[in-house]
């Protein structure tokens, strides 16, 4: 993909009913592969804390870490529309922290938009970041940064009352200045109502087919992880099998002594070994 993707392209896709694929990824190499597809948007999610660093929640992702990995993705994908995930405590401590931290993603990482996990308590954060001139995606529904308070993540909007609250929250988040929404773990019927009734692009993460786009984390798409996954996660390849095979083949060749061979080694220039032997006077 050669042209820089702008937010106008994303809005136009919604207007034309074109579905938007989005990949949450965390590194330069994956980003380099991503740009060889027609995927227009990447998110650098705080799920990196789990899927890169091996923590059991997203909470340990720090601002510095997120800035570094977002910049790495930008270097691999210079033209993609890049969304940076505001990590835990990067916006909950004060409005001024929120604006400064959002700004770091724009200035230091080259992000086009910041994603903020919000409920009605964070509308002022959205407004402040948006008023400062930055594009905000409001993440509602399942909010993994609240795991400490709720204990377990569960589907959102599954009753009429919950659905009505979520629909109202979506409206408030957009009114506060979000120019995009991400719905995580929301009942498909409710996600579709929200998408149909807002002008902003709505990306689903496990919220059914009725949204304007879909996001999955790269390790799930690639089939890099074995073991339990969320209901909505789908693998489109089985890279774990190939990866394990490659590591095993490397190990076998090293232990057999067939790697490295002549082709995969550096060598002295012609005649230099003999010269060395003379220099060392047969001492080796
Ligand atoms: O952290 C992340 O990757 C995310 C997506 C799964 C929506 O927030």
């Amino acid at each position: 993909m050669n042209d820089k993707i702008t937010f106008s392209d994303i809005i136009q896709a919604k207007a034309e009913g074109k579905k938007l694929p989005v990949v949450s990824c965390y590194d330069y190499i994956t980003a380099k592969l991503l740009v060889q597809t027609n995927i227009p948007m990447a998110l650098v999610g705080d799920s990196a804390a789990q899927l890169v660093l091996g923590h059991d929640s997203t909470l340990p992702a720090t601002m510095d870490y997120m800035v570094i990995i977002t910049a790495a993705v930008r270097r691999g994908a210079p033209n993609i529309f890049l969304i940076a995930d505001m990590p835990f405590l990067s916006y909950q401590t004060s409005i001024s922290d929120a604006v400064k931290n959002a700004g770091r993603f724009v200035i230091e990482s080259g992000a086009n938009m910041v994603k903020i996990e919000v409920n009605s308590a964070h509308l002022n954060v959205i407004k402040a970041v948006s008023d400062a001139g930055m594009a905000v995606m409001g993440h509602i529904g399942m909010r993994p940064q609240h795991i400490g308070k709720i204990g377990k993540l569960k589907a959102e909007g599954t009753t009429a009352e919950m659905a009505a609250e979520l629909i109202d929250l979506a409206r408030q988040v957009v009114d506060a200045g979000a120019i995009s929404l991400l719905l995580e773990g929301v009942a498909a019927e409710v996600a579709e109502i929200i998408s149909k009734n807002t002008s902003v692009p709505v990306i689903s993460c496990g919220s059914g087919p009725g949204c304007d786009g879909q996001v999955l984390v790269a390790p799930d798409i690639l089939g890099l992880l074995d073991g339990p996954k969320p209901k909505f996660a789908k693998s489109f390849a089985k890279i774990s099998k190939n990866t394990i095979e490659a590591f095993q083949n490397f190990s076998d060749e090293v232990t057999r002594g067939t790697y490295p061979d002549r082709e995969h080694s550096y060598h002295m220039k012609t005649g230099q070994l003999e010269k060395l032997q003379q220099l060392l006077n047969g001492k080796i």
Side-chain angles (χ1 to χ4, degrees), residues 72-192:
V73 170
R74 171 53 88 210
R75 285 190 288 274
N79 293 336
I80 212 156
F81 192 85
L82 185 61
I83 306 160
D85 210 0
M86 300 275 292
F88 183 56
L89 295 191
S90 67
Y91 59 93
Q92 294 94 335
T93 44
S94 72
I95 294 289
S96 118
D97 283 352
V99 175
K100 278 191 205 135
N101 285 326
R104 285 192 65 191
F105 280 123
V106 174
I107 297 165
E108 297 176 45
S109 310
N112 299 103
M113 176 177 267
V114 294
K115 173 169 90 58
I116 310 180
E117 287 186 20
V118 287
N119 60 18
S120 52
H122 303 112
L123 297 173
N124 54 350
V125 171
I126 295 177
K127 181 167 169 19
V129 176
S130 163
D131 284 352
M134 289 174 271
V136 179
M137 170 181 262
H139 174 154
I140 62 172
M142 224 181 242
R143 285 173 301 129
Q145 289 178 18
H146 286 70
I147 189 73
K149 205 165 157 188
I150 56 183
K152 190 169 186 280
L153 297 173
K154 57 177 181 41
E156 297 285 334
T158 51
T159 66
E161 290 75 17
M162 285 165 80
E165 251 181 58
L166 208 55
I167 291 167
D168 191 46
L169 177 62
R171 185 192 49 74
Q172 291 182 60
V173 168
V174 171
D175 286 351
I179 57 170
S180 178
L181 292 172
L182 185 138
L183 307 184
E184 179 165 350
V186 172
E189 299 82 353
V190 183
E192 185 167 353

Side-chain angles (χ1 to χ4, degrees), residues 25-28 30-32 34-35 42-44 68-78 80 82 109:
C25 63
Y26 323 106
D27 67 285
Y28 171 77
T30 306
K32 294 265 291 177
L34 209 54
V35 294
L43 164 72
V44 181
I68 287 171
I69 62 171
T70 306
V73 170
R74 171 53 88 210
R75 285 190 288 274
I80 212 156
L82 185 61
S109 310

Side-chain angles (χ1 to χ4, degrees), residues 5-280:
I5 310 288
T6 67
F7 192 63
S8 315
D9 301 315
I10 309 300
I11 289 281
Q12 195 179 333
K14 173 162 176 129
E16 292 172 2
K18 286 190 191 148
K19 296 280 185 184
L20 293 158
V22 186
V23 175
S24 182
C25 63
Y26 323 106
D27 67 285
Y28 171 77
I29 291 176
T30 306
K32 294 265 291 177
L33 298 173
L34 209 54
V35 294
Q36 296 175 56
T37 72
N38 62 356
I39 293 175
M41 295 164 90
L43 164 72
V44 181
D46 61 358
S47 52
Q50 295 163 292
L51 297 172
V52 179
L53 301 179
H55 292 289
D56 62 2
S57 78
T58 60
L59 304 186
T62 63
M63 233 354 256
D64 286 344
Y65 175 68
M66 292 300 295
V67 164
I68 287 171
I69 62 171
T70 306
V73 170
R74 171 53 88 210
R75 285 190 288 274
N79 293 336
I80 212 156
F81 192 85
L82 185 61
I83 306 160
D85 210 0
M86 300 275 292
F88 183 56
L89 295 191
S90 67
Y91 59 93
Q92 294 94 335
T93 44
S94 72
I95 294 289
S96 118
D97 283 352
V99 175
K100 278 191 205 135
N101 285 326
R104 285 192 65 191
F105 280 123
V106 174
I107 297 165
E108 297 176 45
S109 310
N112 299 103
M113 176 177 267
V114 294
K115 173 169 90 58
I116 310 180
E117 287 186 20
V118 287
N119 60 18
S120 52
H122 303 112
L123 297 173
N124 54 350
V125 171
I126 295 177
K127 181 167 169 19
V129 176
S130 163
D131 284 352
M134 289 174 271
V136 179
M137 170 181 262
H139 174 154
I140 62 172
M142 224 181 242
R143 285 173 301 129
Q145 289 178 18
H146 286 70
I147 189 73
K149 205 165 157 188
I150 56 183
K152 190 169 186 280
L153 297 173
K154 57 177 181 41
E156 297 285 334
T158 51
T159 66
E161 290 75 17
M162 285 165 80
E165 251 181 58
L166 208 55
I167 291 167
D168 191 46
L169 177 62
R171 185 192 49 74
Q172 291 182 60
V173 168
V174 171
D175 286 351
I179 57 170
S180 178
L181 292 172
L182 185 138
L183 307 184
E184 179 165 350
V186 172
E189 299 82 353
V190 183
E192 185 167 353
I193 293 171
I194 293 174
S195 301
K196 292 233 162 89
N197 287 283
T198 181
S199 60
V200 308
V202 180
I203 306 301
S204 151
C205 176
S207 300
C211 296
D212 304 309
Q214 299 291 330
V215 63
L216 282 178
V217 297
D220 279 343
I221 296 173
L222 300 176
L224 270 175
L225 295 168
D226 298 322
K229 288 193 194 61
K231 181 180 165 72
F232 59 83
K234 179 171 173 185
S235 294
F236 295 81
K238 193 95 185 78
I239 305 294
S240 62
K241 190 167 168 280
N242 290 351
T243 306
I244 293 164
E245 259 171 38
F247 286 141
Q248 191 56 55
N249 291 342
F250 166 67
S251 168
D252 291 348
E253 288 205 20
V254 170
T255 49
R256 270 202 310 266
T258 52
Y259 174 83
D261 52 14
R262 188 168 171 82
E263 191 196 336
H264 293 96
S265 307
Y266 296 107
H267 296 282
M268 293 181 79
K269 293 183 178 149
T270 316
Q272 293 303 304
L273 181 58
E274 295 70 20
K275 192 172 173 193
L276 174 67
Q277 275 158 351
Q278 279 169 14
L279 276 176
L280 296 176

